[in-house]
Amino acid sequence: MSKWFPKAYDWLMGPLEKKHFQHIRKSLIQKVNGDILEIGSGTGFNFPLYEHANRVIAVEPEPVMRQLSLPRLRQAHVPIEVIDARAENLPFQDNSFDSVVCTLVFCTIPDPHMGLEEIRRVCKPGGKLLMFEHVKVDHAVYGPLQEWVNPVWKKLCDGCHLNRRTIEFVQQAGFRIVNLQKFFKDIFIVMEVMNQKE
């Protein structure tokens, strides 16, 4: 990740967070309880929203973002630990978590398929995967535009992919989608997913 992007992230995202995303995050995170894993916690936008969890382990590989998340960590209502780890190689035993939370992170995970395999491994059978992401849309104008802009966007925004088919990836990984909502011309989605495994 470049040096400027993590430092500018809150400034860039602030208006969207305040007007739209905070409400979506809050409604999603109210559904979790027990031991929670958050993937790619960034600057900690979700930290003050956890209320029903026993504890939250948040993984974030970018050191500047981990540092910037500390003020929000102090606003948390539940114990939260932030560690340096990647979704593709989670340092946890199988079936460690009741729920996994991913918000605006799967666009940047280098190997989303491996990330989902790891999430499935560490999430308990019947556990939840809760996601708020932006995805590739099947639209005559917006879909091709995403593909056209994507190469430049990835360079400017440190690996963020505008054309990730995250819904398909989740299904391919063996999860069962329980609830799916779409927002803003279907570019943003919220998914509640069940971890079906023996």
Side-chain angles (χ1 to χ4, degrees), residues 26 29-34 36 46-56 75-80:
K26 187 171 184 178
I29 288 172
Q30 291 303 304
K31 297 178 181 179
V32 303
N33 52 55
I36 311 303
N46 292 334
F47 292 170
L49 306 178
Y50 289 102
E51 294 180 357
H52 307 299
N54 293 339
R55 64 176 183 130
V56 178
Q75 298 170 24
H77 305 288
V78 302
I80 298 178

Side-chain angles (χ1 to χ4, degrees), residues 42-43 60-70 82-85:
T43 60
E60 173 52 58
E62 168 40 54
V64 174
M65 285 198 164
R66 286 199 307 273
Q67 185 66 30
L68 290 172
S69 74
L70 295 181
V82 184
I83 67 170
D84 178 6

